[in-house]
């Protein structure tokens, strides 16, 4: 079953408690403190895999928990770390925090991974608190609680070309003709109930095409199925608007159907409406469609809109359409996505300005309060702690020179560490 959304609760493991113990061995009088530290709680991790095509098996289970770290023991024995819980998701999955609707990660590459909930740090045993003036401490730390959050997974298929149109416009038939995909095809509306992907090979060139359920008037307000799946063509480089010229299923003229489609795209999102598109006039093997094609093409070409007439039954115009798509893709920019810890925001409208990212986790909030920002070496200590906790790898997905906002402070990411940002300070 195709499922492209899931809401889950995740909880990382709690850190193990530190131990209070003293060395008691023969020939070792006054052995001193020997309580080991607790193990770290397990993380909840998401990994992208091309072998997964749906979120169905993940959505079946609503709660995912990692195991707790084990407590420390005597003789300075550290507790065992908790085991991570791993969610294997399809490539193209976005992970969103339900609380503030912030994007935690956007997994767009094979084996790309992100920690959704970080396990708690293990508590230190009493051996860690020994000092020259307190050689027998009887204190130990409790393990920290692991992060817990409610998340939403959204799958957005990644393809080169997206096919859209009103119901029964010939979208699935076109996909079945140009690729090996076998979508459901029938002579009634809403045959397609979920997106279908196909690989198109033409003149030794290859690209991926996706077909989504039909769009009807009012889709942007939740009518029909199309709006639910429009996210799958947000990540395409080119959109094909299929328009049925036979008027068999529509009482409107073909140009009005085209305008309805464009209106729903614009109402859905400005970014989707701004994507380049071709108009594909379908079913030219039917007499009514052939009669309508001349006027329809002339109307759109006056607006500098590329129009291609095809018949999936007779293959008329298919090669010309594929030639045009391949030529377009040669010069079209690649789809750019970034893994970020939270939703990015642009500062102003000047594209030359650096990207601005806000990071917020319980770990960072605690770390910000521990640092004495009035000291000269505060930034150096902050970077050291980020390296020690392995947190810097989250910054590796953003470009050097980007602004990183943590708490009330802004920093500049150099590609290796954070520097003080004076230009964009709040």
């Amino acid at each position: 079953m195709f499922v492209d959304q899931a809401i889950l609760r995740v909880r990382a493991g709690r850190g193990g408690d530190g131990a209070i113990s003293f060395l008691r061995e023969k020939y070792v009088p006054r052995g001193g403190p020997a309580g080991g530290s607790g193990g770290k709680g397990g993380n909840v991790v998401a990994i992208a895999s091309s072998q997964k095509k749906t979120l169905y098996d993940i959505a079946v289970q609503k709660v995912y928990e990692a195991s707790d770290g084990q407590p420390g023991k005597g003789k300075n024995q550290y507790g065992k770390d908790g085991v991570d819980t791993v969610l294997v998701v399809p490539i193209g999955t976005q992970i969103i925090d339900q609380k503030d609707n912030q994007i935690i990660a956007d997994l767009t590459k094979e084996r790309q991974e992100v920690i959704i909930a970080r396990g708690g740090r293990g508590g230190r045993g009493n051996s860690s608190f020994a000092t020259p003036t307190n050689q027998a401490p009887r204190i130990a730390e409790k393990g920290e609680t692991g992060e817990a959050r409610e998340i939403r997974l959204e799958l957005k298929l990644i393809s080169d070309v997206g096919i859209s149109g009103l119901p029964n416009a010939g979208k699935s038939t076109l996909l079945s003709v140009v690729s090996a995909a076998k979508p459901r095809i029938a002579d009634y509306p809403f045959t397609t109930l979920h997106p279908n992907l196909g690989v198109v090979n033409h003149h030794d060139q290859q690209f991926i095409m996706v077909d989504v359920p039909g769009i009807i008037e009012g889709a942007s307000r939740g009518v029909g199925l199309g709006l639910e799946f429009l996210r799958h063509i947000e990540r395409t480089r080119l959109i094909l608007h299929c328009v049925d010229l036979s008027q068999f299923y529509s009482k409107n003229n073909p140009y009005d159907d085209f305008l309805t489609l464009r209106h729903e795209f614009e109402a859905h999102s400005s970014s989707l409406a701004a994507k380049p598109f071709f108009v594909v006039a379908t079913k030219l093997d039917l007499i009514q469609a052939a009669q309508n094609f001349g006027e329809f093409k002339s109307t759109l070409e006056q607006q500098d809109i590329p129009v291609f007439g095809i018949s999936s039954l007779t293959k008329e115009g298919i090669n010309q359409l594929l030639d045009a798509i391949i030529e377009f893709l040669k010069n079209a920019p690649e789809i750019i996505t970034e893994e970020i810890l939270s939703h990015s925001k642009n500062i102003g409208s000047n594209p030359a300005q650096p990207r601005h990212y806000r990071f917020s986790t319980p770990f960072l909030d605690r770390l910000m309060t521990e640092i004495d920002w009035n000291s000269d070496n505060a930034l150096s200590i902050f970077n050291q702690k980020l390296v020690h906790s392995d947190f810097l790898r989250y910054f590796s997905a953003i470009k050097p020179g980007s602004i990183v906002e943590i708490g009330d402070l802004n920093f500049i990411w150099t590609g290796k560490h954070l520097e003080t940002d004076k230009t964009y300070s709040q």
Side-chain angles (χ1 to χ4, degrees):
M1 182 183 297
F2 183 84
V3 174
D4 62 352
Q5 288 193 79
I7 296 178
L8 313 172
R9 291 196 302 274
V10 296
R11 186 190 72 81
R14 180 181 180 277
D17 295 338
I20 298 178
S21 178
F22 294 88
L23 191 62
R24 293 292 182 264
E25 288 185 352
K26 192 176 182 180
Y27 308 119
V28 186
R30 300 180 182 179
S37 299
K40 177 182 174 298
N43 303 318
V44 180
V45 181
I47 299 179
S49 171
S50 59
Q51 302 300 312
K52 303 281 284 191
K53 305 300 181 185
T54 174
L55 296 172
Y56 173 73
D57 57 335
I58 292 176
V60 171
Q61 183 175 328
K62 298 301 181 184
V63 180
Y64 289 86
E65 297 181 342
S67 63
D68 297 336
Q70 298 298 308
K73 299 179 182 179
K75 298 185 179 180
N76 288 314
Q77 296 182 70
Y78 279 65
K80 188 177 181 181
D81 289 343
V83 178
D84 292 347
T85 292
V86 179
L87 307 182
V88 182
V89 300
I91 292 176
T93 299
Q94 283 188 337
I95 305 172
I96 303 167
D97 193 320
Q98 279 286 84
K99 182 178 180 180
D100 54 14
N101 212 37
Q102 298 289 303
I103 298 176
I104 299 170
D106 193 354
L107 305 181
T108 60
K109 299 178 182 178
E110 180 73 18
R111 303 304 298 172
Q112 188 177 359
E113 66 177 86
V114 66
I115 297 176
I116 306 172
R118 182 177 290 273
R121 185 171 56 183
R124 291 178 293 174
N126 68 329
S127 62
S128 300
F129 294 92
T131 66
T133 57
N134 184 11
Q135 298 181 5
R138 295 182 178 275
I139 58 173
E141 287 181 332
K142 290 281 189 180
E144 293 181 351
T145 302
E147 293 179 340
R149 66 202 326 173
E150 187 175 36
I151 61 171
R152 182 173 77 253
L153 305 183
E154 287 191 1
L155 172 59
K156 295 184 178 182
L157 297 176
I158 299 175
S159 61
D160 297 300
V161 180
I163 311 177
S164 68
L166 273 59
N168 265 99
K171 305 180 297 298
S172 297
T173 306
L174 172 60
L175 181 64
S176 69
V177 167
V178 299
S179 74
K182 301 299 179 185
R184 184 180 180 186
I185 300 172
D187 58 351
Y188 53 82
F190 296 111
T191 310
T192 301
L193 300 178
H194 60 78
N196 295 295
L197 276 174
V199 179
V200 181
N201 292 286
H202 183 68
H203 295 335
D204 297 326
Q205 300 292 320
Q206 188 179 85
F207 60 89
I208 299 174
M209 184 179 284
V210 63
D211 152 44
V212 300
I215 311 297
I216 62 175
E217 187 172 4
S220 58
R221 301 189 302 274
V223 178
L225 295 172
L227 177 66
E228 184 177 352
F229 297 110
L230 275 180
R231 71 177 68 89
H232 297 296
I233 51 178
E234 289 179 352
R235 286 179 170 173
T236 59
R237 301 159 69 190
L238 174 67
I239 296 174
L240 302 183
H241 288 320
C242 288
V243 180
D244 179 4
L245 296 196
S246 71
Q247 296 181 269
F248 189 82
Y249 296 98
S250 175
K251 297 179 181 179
N252 299 324
N253 67 58
Y255 183 69
D256 287 339
D257 285 345
F258 166 72
L259 293 180
T260 297
L261 194 61
R262 290 303 302 169
H263 171 75
E264 297 304 327
F265 269 59
E266 291 165 2
H268 177 69
S269 75
S270 57
S271 60
L272 185 60
K275 282 188 173 291
F277 65 90
F278 292 167
V279 175
V280 181
T282 63
K283 306 183 182 180
L284 291 192
D285 53 284
L286 300 178
I287 296 176
Q288 184 66 38
Q291 292 174 346
N292 290 334
F293 181 59
E295 181 181 354
F296 180 74
K297 181 178 181 181
S298 175
T299 302
L300 291 180
E301 286 183 341
Q302 290 175 12
Q303 304 173 48
D304 294 325
I305 298 174
V307 184
F308 299 87
I310 69 163
S311 167
S312 297
L313 181 64
T314 65
K315 307 300 192 324
E316 176 187 352
I318 295 294
N319 284 333
Q320 291 87 335
L321 173 62
L322 296 181
D323 288 342
I325 291 174
I326 288 175
E327 188 62 30
F328 174 87
L329 294 179
K330 286 180 180 178
N331 303 312
E334 294 292 334
I335 305 165
I336 300 175
T337 53
E338 296 174 316
E339 179 192 341
I340 57 176
L341 186 65
S342 63
H343 187 66
S344 64
K345 59 182 181 181
N346 288 318
I347 305 300
S349 57
N350 184 358
Q353 288 184 322
R355 295 293 296 273
H356 190 132
Y357 299 89
R358 180 172 64 85
F359 286 71
S360 178
T361 72
F363 166 74
L364 285 178
D365 294 343
R366 184 180 67 253
L367 187 57
M368 292 292 288
T369 61
E370 293 176 353
I371 301 293
D372 179 8
W373 292 103
N374 294 319
S375 66
D376 294 336
N377 60 344
L379 186 60
S380 176
I381 294 174
F382 186 54
N383 276 299
Q384 289 176 10
K385 288 183 176 291
L386 291 175
V387 171
H388 180 71
S389 65
D390 198 27
F391 202 91
L392 275 185
R393 64 173 177 165
Y394 288 113
F395 302 137
S396 63
I398 64 179
K399 293 182 178 179
S402 298
I403 301 169
V404 174
E405 176 187 338
I406 305 175
D408 295 329
L409 299 179
N410 286 342
F411 304 92
I412 294 292
W413 170 243
T414 67
K416 294 182 178 180
H417 58 269
L418 296 176
E419 290 185 352
T420 302
D421 173 31
K422 298 179 181 179
T423 305
Y424 292 93
S425 59
Q426 291 186 334

